Amino acid sequence: MDDTKVGTEEYEFVQVQVGVNEKQYNKREVNYDIIEGIKHEKLNNLIIGEIKDQKLKSLIVAGSSRLARFHLRALGVTTIMLVLWAAVFQLITLCDTKGLRTIKYEFFLKVPVERAYKNRGYMTVSSNGGLNQMRSGIADMVTIARFLNVTLIVPELDNTSFWNDRSQFKVIFDVDYFIKSLRDEIRILKELPPEQKKFLEKHKLYSMAPVSWSNMSYYYNTVLPLFEKYKVVHFTRTDTRLANNGIPKELQKLRCKVNYRAMRFAPPIEEMGKKIVRILRQKGSFLALHLRYEMDILAFSGCTKECNEHEVEELTKMRYAYPWWKEKEIDSDKKRKAGLCPLTPNETALVLKAFDIDTNMQIYIAAGDIYGEQRRMAGLKAFYPNLVNKKKLLSTSDLKPFHNHSNRMAALDYLVSVKSDIFVPTYGGNMAKVVEGHRRWLGFMVTISLDRLVLVNLIDRYKNGSMKWDEFSLSVKKAHADRMGSPTKRLQIPGKPKEEDYFYANPQECLQEVVEDLKGD
């Protein structure tokens, strides 16, 4: 999935294409093996770069001239050329026999050169939060380690949070690819070298939680001296340890490279995600709905719209049972009117209908168990009968390795959401933000970022009869005209990082090439 991004790649490729006229040859093509058949014209000129026709001709001519001058003295060069032309001949034959208009061969020229630098210490990391909170945090840790010239040890994932998934990094992510794809930026090891382990047997490990939303001067002036003093520094938290703004552009681009490319899921997760997408694609287009009406978010947010007394009591007890959740007494109505609650399934149905989403479209529910699912999903299903989720699309045996592993389940939803025709999150959590940013990075794919503050007011007016349907639908569309995943400037609020746009939802420093390619279409 992430290998398709234009820019710095793990390998450099020569693209050899046969049976394409000059006009077609100069157009970049979407790799449909990667994106599972998504029809999105904006992705043309984005995914795969190739050597232009004239450059390729000059390369061949120059190569031929050099060979002519040396009279083919090197037998090894001759053999390589023969093999290359034999491959091209077979490619032409395949085109003729199979009736294929375009076939691509990719030849590896080199792997990234390992970055050489004087190592200033070792960083160990304990990630915290759910899958996407950890994902973004780890991308920040790589960036910080690169800036400080320290070696990063593969991070530990959170095993103690609410989700209680004991899967470690190598189970969720392709650890070898993670290390290899970043070797030109940073040194990453699976564990501390023996010398450092022996050092820690005699000295206490220095642990700290870096200050949230910090810029690079903090890490250079405050954190780097700690590595020089203690050799090994352990970060106990990774979430939002790096500011959204005011970071050098090359480091912002590295954050994108890590999050959207290097952090590829482990092969079993990738294959199962692709399988879900294939099943969905067989029936046409689909919308991924991140319906965050789950027990944990309702309990911790205090949002109890459409809940009965028993459910309100159950959710309140859950909130009080977790001491790390500071906010206990919550006014649900006040919070909803402020736009701080996830939409209910019934509210979501109205919003999708207001956007004129086809009632026959497949709606993939990218979420865990919906709270009171049987009763609450009835209204949404009445509008959109083609509701599906991973449990409905996959067999019991397919899902067995994922049961009771919330991060693995979330990884499947992430993959499907990234590749969907439309992505709609009903709450602004970490998954909603990271998927939105990933889809921007892939070519500004349609993502409807709901303005809940506006929507709850419109929904209430429609339900109490003060607004007709046509007016309601038009108002919803107008309010979201510039919230569809298109290019936009990231909102900055100096001194209030929690209120400004999150970097990973709109990593604009990484998107200039995307914008330029789209302008060239």
Side-chain angles (χ1 to χ4, degrees), residues 230-259:
Y230 296 104
K231 309 304 178 186
V232 181
V233 176
H234 178 68
F235 286 178
T236 58
R237 298 180 69 87
T238 62
D239 63 319
T240 63
R241 302 298 116 173
L242 200 54
N244 294 314
N245 305 295
I247 305 297
K249 189 173 182 178
E250 62 272 18
L251 295 180
Q252 296 286 53
K253 287 187 173 183
L254 178 56
R255 295 171 86 179
C256 295
K257 179 180 178 180
V258 180
N259 207 335

Side-chain angles (χ1 to χ4, degrees), residues 174 262 286 296 349:
D174 188 335
F286 68 95
D296 63 310

